[in-house]
Amino acid sequence: MGLTEGHIKTKKNKTEKNKSTKNGKANGSVETAAIQTAVRQRTLRQDVSESGVGLHSGVPVTMVLRAAPVDHGIVFRRTDVDADGDIAARWDRVADTRLCSVIANDAGVTVGTVEHLMAALAGCGIDNALIELDGPEVPAMDGSSEPFVQMVRDAGVIDQDM
């Protein structure tokens, strides 16, 4: 197999990149600025809320999706608890997966049934959001991700410079 023009350009770009770095760090603001411009994060344009009932708890809950700053990530905030109610939506925060996905923080505060909302946020390209809940789980809505996608559409999405 011969090298195509694409292979040659890729090899050349890697070589040029190696020359422009020292100890793995970029030499110059032009290269750094280009990377920051190419990689943007997204959040919501405005707050949006919905109310419903938790599928497993049967508890009425109001959920507010709020914009969040760059590198905030997706964070759930339980407003109905006195303890630290913030829970980062990360793989290492999964506490249970029986019947639904439950995440927890170090204080033992949990949020359940996060999977459809998380799928909607990922599908809409949302990197940063604060999700406030006044109950123990995300409202079930119609059982799909569609109502959450519609919430994101209603809120609008903005690109964030890094």
Side-chain angles (χ1 to χ4, degrees), residues 91-147:
W91 67 271
D92 61 340
R93 290 288 154 196
V94 175
D96 193 3
T97 57
R98 291 171 291 166
L99 300 178
C100 69
S101 298
V102 178
I103 57 175
N105 65 15
D106 291 336
V109 177
T110 63
V111 172
T113 322
V114 301
E115 52 272 27
H116 293 159
L117 174 58
M118 292 300 297
L121 293 172
C124 293
I126 302 299
D127 301 292
N128 302 304
L130 176 63
I131 301 148
E132 293 182 349
L133 298 164
D134 66 357
E137 64 181 320
V138 173
M141 311 305 275
D142 71 356
S144 75
S145 293
E146 195 280 329

Side-chain angles (χ1 to χ4, degrees), residues 39-105:
V39 179
R40 294 186 179 210
Q41 295 180 13
R42 297 174 73 184
T43 192
L44 303 167
R45 182 175 302 281
Q46 63 186 15
D47 296 351
V48 62
S49 67
E50 284 288 341
S51 295
V53 177
L55 177 65
H56 301 290
S57 66
V59 173
V61 61
T62 298
M63 177 176 68
V64 181
L65 304 182
R66 298 188 187 280
V70 169
D71 293 333
H72 182 268
I74 307 296
V75 175
F76 287 85
R77 175 172 290 160
R78 290 278 303 273
T79 61
D80 62 323
V81 297
D82 292 331
D84 173 20
D86 286 4
I87 308 166
R90 297 189 328 237
W91 67 271
D92 61 340
R93 290 288 154 196
V94 175
D96 193 3
T97 57
R98 291 171 291 166
L99 300 178
C100 69
S101 298
V102 178
I103 57 175
N105 65 15

